[in-house]
Amino acid sequence: QVQLLESGGGLVQPGGSLRLSCAASGRTHSSYTMAWFRQISGKEREFVAAIRRRGGTTHYADSVKGRFTISADNAKYTVYLQMTSLDTEDTAVYYCAYDPGVILSSIRRQSGYRYWGQGTRVTVSS
């Protein structure tokens, strides 16, 4: 089993920045993909960003491209989501996901990940 612990959520004003962290522990693998999804109230959970440990390749949803940056500290099995130019539409619960065997075609799909964090709430409001 793998456990994921998210942190960094909170209240931020429009235009502000916030950094989320997600640390994986337990039976982690040397090769993995970690991702962030979010669930806006009343909507389905959606893909935000993902990063593969091998090669460090990143993927982003169009809605966050250019504003959010995903990165990883491989030694700590920790992934970060730096969010800038936040908008009220970014208000959501953000979930971290992890899997050692995500294929490229599933990297943006919830079904591609077996392990999930509990979520951290981000509220963008003035």
Side-chain angles (χ1 to χ4, degrees):
Q1 289 290 337
V2 174
Q3 296 78 42
L4 301 176
L5 181 62
E6 301 131 329
S7 61
L11 174 64
V12 62
Q13 293 186 342
S17 299
L18 207 59
R19 190 177 82 155
L20 305 182
S21 300
C22 174
S25 61
R27 299 186 65 180
T28 53
H29 294 73
S30 59
S31 177
Y32 60 81
T33 299
M34 292 185 76
W36 290 96
F37 287 74
R38 67 185 182 186
Q39 188 161 18
I40 299 169
S41 181
K43 296 186 178 181
E44 293 188 358
R45 196 173 298 186
E46 63 180 15
F47 171 78
V48 176
I51 186 166
R52 288 181 174 268
R53 180 173 185 180
R54 285 189 176 176
T57 54
T58 57
H59 305 260
Y60 294 95
D62 288 343
S63 59
V64 306
K65 199 173 295 184
R67 299 189 299 123
F68 292 10
T69 302
I70 190 170
S71 61
D73 183 333
N74 293 328
K76 297 181 179 179
Y77 287 89
T78 299
V79 65
Y80 305 97
L81 186 68
Q82 179 68 48
M83 305 184 292
T84 64
S85 301
L86 283 162
D87 183 82
T88 55
E89 294 185 352
D90 295 314
T91 295
V93 177
Y94 285 72
Y95 295 90
C96 177
Y98 168 102
D99 200 281
V102 182
I103 60 176
L104 188 58
S105 61
S106 295
I107 205 165
R108 296 170 183 262
R109 300 177 182 174
Q110 294 183 59
S111 60
Y113 302 85
R114 281 172 285 178
Y115 302 101
W116 291 82
Q118 293 298 309
T120 184
R121 183 172 297 276
V122 172
T123 302
V124 184
S125 175
S126 55

